[in-house]
Amino acid sequence: DMLAGRGVTSLDDAMRDLELKPVHEALRRLFDHEAVHAYAFPNPRAKTAKKTADAIDELVNRARTLLDTACHYCASPAAEVAGFGNNRKWTGDRDTALQRFRQRLEAAKKLDAVVKQLPAAYTSEVKAVLPVEAVEEISAPLWSAVIAWAAIEALGAYCDPAGTNQAASQVFDALRLREVMAQSLEKLGTHGEERWRVVSRIRATFAHAAWAPAAQGTQRHTPVFTWLHDPEVAWLIGVHEWEGVRYFNKEAYERFLWWMALRSLLDLAATPDPKAIAALESEIELRLKAAEQAQYRTESLLKIGKPQTLSSQPASVLRSETTATSSKVADKEVAAAKKKSTKPKKPVKS
């Protein structure tokens, strides 16, 4: 009855989508235009603190439904086929995960104060991916991306608080959130390939969390830039070949770098620390200089970095680590969702 006479390419896929329908509907409700708009642009006639708190309360309630439906699905036999294993139990506390979600949304409203402490040269790329100092028409889609990121983090924290990032990445793929999220973002103003870029950035933040600027860790075991082996990240930063050499796009790389710093920026927005902001700036500057010195050649970046203990690093050089593999599920969904040009391009360096 649900197919209404429509043919499907895979009966298994159709059945899995049907089983995931409650989760997908909960995600769509989270991205309701009115709910997102009330949070991003509160009614100017209401008191600022109250109107923001009310909007966040509504989003938290919608996120609660998402967490409940996702947890319920993962406890079902269907979850084993999705890659969760047999009756995997979520070990986190739902209310704690929702509290983190709330704190992220509250901190996001203070991002301007953090960004204003960064050099002006960086702000144009920051504004391209984060909702800071922007007019309503431009920043509305950016606000929705931050809400989406916070929701995926909450799912990971509820699933496995000891391994939030890995759990978030796994949940993202297993629950097939990519296409649903892209569709929702499109309704909120993110169109064309950009909606797929936003979704891919969100997933990469968790799949490569150890690589993110100011990421927490104790030791680097792999070269800094081995995350470039991920084909989805390669697409995000515009990797292409010219005369037998692989290059990446300067602006796309900078935007990706600043988006990967979202977690650190939100932490700093919640608890301002000028020294920590300076340290984050130094870490990002270090990576940008490394890219420039490599003349934006992918292969050169892959050779940079040696295994080292982080405690021996100077304070301005923060921790960096990465995973070098990408989920087969993500590869398949990205390939099905967008077409990539195979024609060689001239290297874009600026």
Side-chain angles (χ1 to χ4, degrees), residues 315-329:
S316 62
V317 183
L318 302 182
R319 280 80 63 189
S320 303
E321 188 176 346
T322 183
T323 54
T325 59
S326 180
S327 165
K328 293 181 180 179
V329 175

Side-chain angles (χ1 to χ4, degrees), residues 8 33 60 67 84 92 96 109 119 129 141 158 176 185 193 219 242 252 320 339:
V8 293
H33 182 272
V60 170
L67 267 60
F84 273 107
T96 301
K109 303 296 285 187
V129 293
Y158 187 19
R176 294 190 171 187
L185 291 172
E193 279 203 336
Q219 188 166 3
W242 174 254
S320 303
K339 272 186 182 177

Side-chain angles (χ1 to χ4, degrees), residues 110-147:
K110 305 173 185 177
L111 276 174
D112 274 353
V114 178
V115 174
K116 285 178 181 178
Q117 298 182 55
L118 299 173
Y122 293 149
T123 55
S124 61
E125 302 307 334
V126 176
K127 291 179 183 178
V129 293
L130 297 176
V132 292
E133 300 179 1
V135 296
E136 182 172 328
E137 293 77 10
I138 297 175
S139 60
L142 302 180
W143 280 114
S144 60
V146 172
I147 294 172

Side-chain angles (χ1 to χ4, degrees), residues 233-249:
V233 173
W235 174 71
L236 278 172
I237 64 174
V239 172
H240 56 278
E241 188 171 312
W242 174 254
E243 296 182 347
V245 179
R246 297 174 74 232
Y247 296 87
F248 60 93
N249 179 273

Side-chain angles (χ1 to χ4, degrees), residues 59-70:
L59 289 173
V60 170
N61 287 334
R62 293 170 186 248
R64 181 179 292 107
T65 303
L66 174 63
L67 267 60
D68 285 344
T69 54

Side-chain angles (χ1 to χ4, degrees), residues 12-314:
D12 288 339
D13 283 347
M15 286 297 298
R16 186 172 163 196
D17 286 339
L18 182 59
E19 292 164 342
L20 285 168
K21 186 177 180 181
V23 179
H24 293 170
E25 288 184 344
L27 184 62
R28 290 189 177 97
R29 277 197 76 239
L30 180 64
F31 291 119
D32 174 74
H33 182 272
E34 290 186 7
V36 173
H37 198 274
Y39 163 69
F41 314 105
N43 186 338
R45 288 176 290 183
K47 291 184 178 180
T48 303
K50 185 177 186 305
K51 60 192 178 184
T52 300
D54 289 347
I56 291 178
D57 285 343
E58 179 60 29
L59 289 173
V60 170
N61 287 334
R62 293 170 186 248
R64 181 179 292 107
T65 303
L66 174 63
L67 267 60
D68 285 344
T69 54
C71 182
H72 178 76
Y73 171 82
C74 292
S76 70
E80 185 174 2
V81 179
F84 273 107
N86 187 21
N87 294 324
R88 174 173 178 175
K89 293 183 179 180
W90 286 29
T91 59
D93 179 72
R94 185 194 64 177
D95 291 340
T96 301
L98 288 172
Q99 180 62 19
R100 178 183 293 193
F101 177 75
R102 179 188 295 277
Q103 291 169 346
R104 293 306 196 187
L105 297 190
E106 291 172 346
K109 303 296 285 187
K110 305 173 185 177
L111 276 174
D112 274 353
V114 178
V115 174
K116 285 178 181 178
Q117 298 182 55
L118 299 173
Y122 293 149
T123 55
S124 61
E125 302 307 334
V126 176
K127 291 179 183 178
V129 293
L130 297 176
V132 292
E133 300 179 1
V135 296
E136 182 172 328
E137 293 77 10
I138 297 175
S139 60
L142 302 180
W143 280 114
S144 60
V146 172
I147 294 172
W149 179 88
I152 301 303
E153 183 188 44
L155 283 169
Y158 187 19
C159 178
D160 182 5
T164 296
N165 293 314
Q166 182 178 0
S169 177
Q170 183 183 22
V171 167
F172 182 92
D173 289 332
L175 297 184
R176 294 190 171 187
L177 301 183
R178 184 186 302 276
E179 186 171 355
V180 178
M181 189 175 289
Q183 292 170 352
S184 299
L185 291 172
E186 185 173 32
K187 292 180 180 179
L188 290 165
T190 307
H191 303 292
E193 279 203 336
E194 184 58 25
R195 61 190 172 128
W196 297 108
R197 289 192 184 94
V198 172
V199 174
S200 294
R201 287 189 198 114
I202 291 170
R203 181 187 176 278
T205 310
F206 300 102
H208 300 285
W211 175 86
Q216 296 301 311
T218 57
Q219 188 166 3
R220 180 192 302 165
H221 299 285
T222 57
V224 176
F225 295 100
T226 52
W227 51 270
L228 280 172
H229 286 301
D230 185 335
E232 189 169 24
V233 173
W235 174 71
L236 278 172
I237 64 174
V239 172
H240 56 278
E241 188 171 312
W242 174 254
E243 296 182 347
V245 179
R246 297 174 74 232
Y247 296 87
F248 60 93
N249 179 273
K250 175 180 181 291
E251 288 76 17
Y253 172 70
E254 290 181 10
R255 292 178 183 184
F256 178 68
L257 189 60
W258 281 110
W259 172 262
M260 291 294 288
L262 175 61
R263 180 181 288 103
S264 295
L265 291 170
L266 290 176
D267 288 341
L268 291 170
T271 308
D273 182 345
K275 291 184 178 179
I277 293 175
L280 176 62
E281 177 194 334
S282 296
E283 165 67 4
I284 291 178
E285 183 180 4
L286 176 73
R287 300 188 188 200
L288 294 177
K289 285 184 177 179
E292 183 179 5
Q293 291 170 359
Q295 298 181 326
Y296 306 101
R297 289 180 292 190
T298 306
E299 287 72 16
S300 297
L301 280 180
L302 292 173
K303 298 175 182 177
I304 296 177
K306 297 180 179 179
Q308 55 185 290
T309 301
L310 294 173
S311 59
S312 65
Q313 290 181 287

